[in-house]
Amino acid sequence: MHNRYAVILAAGQGTRMKSKLYKVLHPVCGKPMVQHVVDQVRKLNIQEVVTIIGHGAELVQAQLGDGSLYALQEQQLGTAHAVRQAGSMLEEKEGVTIVVCGDTPLIKAETMESLFKHHEEFAAKATILTARIADPTGYGRIIRNEGGLVEKIVEHKDASEAEREINEINTGTYCFDNRALFEALRNVSNDNVQGEYYLPDVIEILKKQGEIVTAFQTTEFTETLGVNDRVALAEAERLMRIRTNELHMRNGVTIVDPQNTYIDTEVEIGQDTVIYPGTIIKGKTTIGEECQIGPNTEIEECEIGNKTVVRQSAAYKSSIGAHVNIGPFAHIRPESKISNEVKIGNFVEIKKAVFGTGSKASHLSYIGDAEVGSDVNIGCGSITVNYDGKNKFLTKIEDGVFIGCNSNLVAPVTIGKGAYVAAGSTITKDVPGDALSIARAKQVNKENYVQKFNLKK
Ligand code: UD1
Ligand code: CA
């Protein structure tokens, strides 16, 4: 096998996206397009990956980190000009270089591997990854001679009517003999409708030199989608979603309605978990086995243990243990840490709070900036009063505490182990362990009061 190199084109602005965000950074199922491409490329056995950056260079570099080397294309004069920027790093190398566009997020490592194999089998100087698609508008067309051999690629804007009828397209992924590529790049001109240096022109140049140029036509046409505008972005998202959901289902996850379930590509889900419709799972979330998630639930960057149920709720940047029961209509805000067997019921909001094993807040509560021990029962309507308008304060509720309904715990405050807080209390001072604390106005019953003042008709 030859040495392998990769060049990823990611310097363009993406004018057609009409966006402040640079095109290749637009996410598809939660991951920037260019990151999808680099992740797939890195699965191949490649010596050096060079990403061409220009627009948003710093942001693209920050995104990809040390997963790639970088070459700066200061002015975006076209895809051939872009590849040329990798010259100082690559042009002396012997081997095969794959070029991939940063805006084709669906391309898979397997397909690129097949492209390499095809290229090597034919001892070609260039091999184009092509596909036949129903609507080739906007793509470069593959022009073949009578013998069926590839002659050149014509860009949509430069194509004649007859050429536009051709539905075999350039996917924007190619393998090249590395030295032949950088040689040929010197001869690419910008004499075309867009006044750009087109990488596809390398094909015609090599062909005219009598070199072997081949095409590898993939049947995985969904992989070839190039995202130039938001319509294509939504299509990429849809295709990626189908792929991701299928993967989970094949791994033993039940997704009741895959078309209405939105799972980012980085999410991990254990066997026999059931995901109900309307569920959105984002970021690097991991969900254990035998969980029930949804319907209509949003989970972002959470770690969830086995056999946990989350119904019609939202949870962000938190860890949630096993056998936990959340919802319906609960809100778990960032930095919460919920241990096993906890119950967070309807209309309960948790923020930056730790919950020990077996504790419960079953109804209508706000628990923020709190450390709740294990086996604590927080009665309906109880609130941690954590904010004085300027600062946030901590509430500590130790193991085995019982907080009666509709209590206010004014922080900073500690409720000692095993203590009871009577319903309706506003607690402003620490409560010792095993004490009963009552902090509410005493009840007064005035006998026959109503008749006396004739208030009742
Ligand atoms: C390109 C191909 C076209 C192919 C299509 C597949 C050319 C001239 N055309 O067209 O044959 O069918 O992809 O999706 O190559 N870029 C740079 N520097 C530049 C210009 C572009 O880095 O100076 C990058 C862009 O960021 C993008 C990629 O190259 O990731 C492709 O550029 P784009 O303008 O989207 O090319 P297409 O018109 O889609
Ligand atoms: Ca494109």
Side-chain angles (χ1 to χ4, degrees):
M1 199 179 75
H2 298 102
N3 282 337
R4 289 175 172 184
Y5 306 95
V7 176
I8 292 160
L9 305 183
Q13 158 85 47
T15 319
R16 290 165 281 183
M17 295 296 279
K18 303 212 169 110
S19 176
K20 289 192 189 72
L21 186 64
Y22 304 105
K23 176 165 77 174
V24 297
L25 292 177
H26 274 266
V28 168
C29 292
K31 195 201 280 191
M33 292 200 269
V34 67
Q35 186 74 62
H36 279 287
V37 173
V38 171
D39 287 352
Q40 293 301 314
V41 165
R42 293 204 65 85
K43 287 188 189 170
L44 306 161
N45 197 357
I46 287 190
Q47 260 82 26
E48 263 155 54
V49 178
V50 181
T51 302
I52 312 299
I53 52 176
H55 280 284
E58 280 171 25
L59 294 174
V60 175
Q61 201 167 341
Q63 171 64 39
L64 299 175
D66 54 16
S68 172
L69 302 171
Y70 301 94
L72 185 66
Q73 185 192 23
E74 277 173 24
Q75 268 187 303
Q76 284 65 50
L77 303 180
T79 45
H81 179 257
V83 176
R84 221 151 62 193
Q85 309 312 307
S88 59
M89 292 175 183
L90 296 182
E91 68 189 345
E92 300 294 315
K93 312 267 188 201
E94 296 290 342
V96 178
T97 297
I98 189 167
V99 179
V100 194
C101 294
D103 65 350
T104 52
L106 289 139
I107 185 99
K108 278 195 207 163
E110 292 89 326
T111 302
M112 291 188 272
E113 186 62 47
S114 303
L115 180 69
F116 269 116
K117 294 251 165 67
H118 188 278
H119 181 81
E120 282 164 4
E121 215 171 283
F122 283 78
K125 286 282 190 267
T127 304
I128 314 157
L129 182 68
T130 75
R132 283 196 188 281
I133 59 173
D135 179 11
T137 309
Y139 290 96
R141 307 297 206 282
I142 306 298
I143 312 296
R144 293 175 181 264
N145 63 20
E146 300 86 54
L149 295 173
V150 177
E151 285 276 284
K152 59 178 177 177
I153 299 171
V154 176
E155 287 305 296
H156 180 91
K157 287 185 181 156
D158 299 286
S160 65
E161 294 257 317
E163 287 167 336
R164 285 185 185 180
E165 292 297 308
I166 297 170
N167 70 352
E168 187 184 11
I169 58 111
N170 168 26
T171 64
T173 299
Y174 327 68
C175 277
F176 295 102
D177 172 88
N178 186 65
R179 279 179 174 272
L181 168 64
F182 284 98
E183 272 299 319
L185 281 174
R186 294 175 208 277
N187 300 322
V188 174
S189 83
N190 64 351
D191 179 18
N192 52 52
V193 172
Q194 302 190 79
E196 286 184 5
Y197 296 91
Y198 291 161
L199 178 61
D201 285 359
V202 165
I203 300 300
E204 194 180 4
I205 292 168
L206 291 173
K207 188 73 194 180
K208 282 191 170 151
Q209 289 168 4
E211 303 290 3
I212 300 173
V213 173
T214 63
F216 174 70
Q217 202 183 90
T218 174
T219 49
E220 302 287 330
F221 67 93
T222 57
E223 279 184 45
T224 64
L225 180 71
V227 175
N228 295 328
D229 60 21
R230 311 258 185 166
V231 175
L233 183 67
E235 180 63 2
E237 180 92 16
R238 188 183 71 83
L239 294 169
M240 189 69 84
R241 181 157 67 239
I242 292 172
R243 188 189 287 178
T244 308
N245 287 352
E246 279 184 10
L247 205 74
H248 287 298
M249 291 188 277
R250 294 197 195 286
N251 284 340
V253 176
T254 294
I255 299 180
V256 174
D257 183 0
Q259 285 179 358
N260 291 297
T261 303
Y262 308 83
I263 303 176
D264 280 357
T265 45
E266 300 290 286
V267 173
E268 291 172 26
I269 309 175
Q271 261 180 25
D272 290 317
T273 283
V274 181
I275 315 279
Y276 291 96
T279 295
I280 303 172
I281 309 176
K282 297 187 193 165
K284 278 195 184 354
T285 292
T286 52
I287 296 175
E289 297 182 355
E290 294 179 60
C291 293
Q292 289 179 48
I293 310 291
N296 303 325
T297 289
E298 184 179 27
I299 297 174
E300 187 174 337
E301 305 276 342
C302 286
E303 198 182 308
I304 300 180
N306 296 336
K307 298 192 180 181
T308 281
V309 178
V310 185
R311 289 196 180 90
Q312 321 225 44
S313 291
Y316 309 104
K317 298 191 167 85
S318 291
S319 84
I320 298 167
H323 295 269
V324 172
N325 203 320
I326 292 177
F329 314 114
H331 186 185
I332 314 294
R333 289 170 54 198
E335 295 182 61
S336 296
K337 202 170 176 311
I338 295 167
S339 305
N340 299 343
E341 291 162 46
V342 163
K343 178 163 194 262
I344 307 290
N346 42 207
F347 307 109
V348 174
E349 177 179 342
I350 307 285
K351 189 214 83 173
K352 205 175 180 182
V354 178
F355 265 70
T357 308
S359 289
K360 295 187 175 80
S362 299
H363 338 264
L364 299 149
S365 285
Y366 171 65
I367 308 296
D369 300 304
E371 286 173 24
V372 179
S374 49
D375 297 316
V376 168
N377 194 319
I378 296 174
C380 176
S382 296
I383 286 168
T384 54
V385 184
N386 62 328
Y387 186 47
D388 64 2
K390 278 190 182 148
N391 296 302
K392 305 277 168 75
F393 299 96
L394 185 71
T395 301
K396 280 191 184 170
I397 305 174
E398 294 181 357
D399 295 347
V401 164
F402 184 95
I403 308 286
C405 291
N406 205 33
S407 297
N408 300 309
L409 308 175
V410 183
V413 72
T414 299
I415 316 297
K417 193 171 174 190
Y420 264 62
V421 170
S425 292
T426 292
I427 301 292
T428 54
K429 288 182 279 195
D430 289 354
V431 177
D434 293 324
L436 166 67
S437 184
I438 309 178
R440 64 188 182 214
K442 267 219 165 103
Q443 181 169 337
V444 179
N445 289 343
K446 300 195 173 178
E447 300 277 338
N448 300 319
Y449 186 90
V450 177
Q451 274 92 344
K452 199 167 142 193
F453 288 95
N454 201 15
L455 293 173
K456 217 177 191 178
K457 284 193 191 127

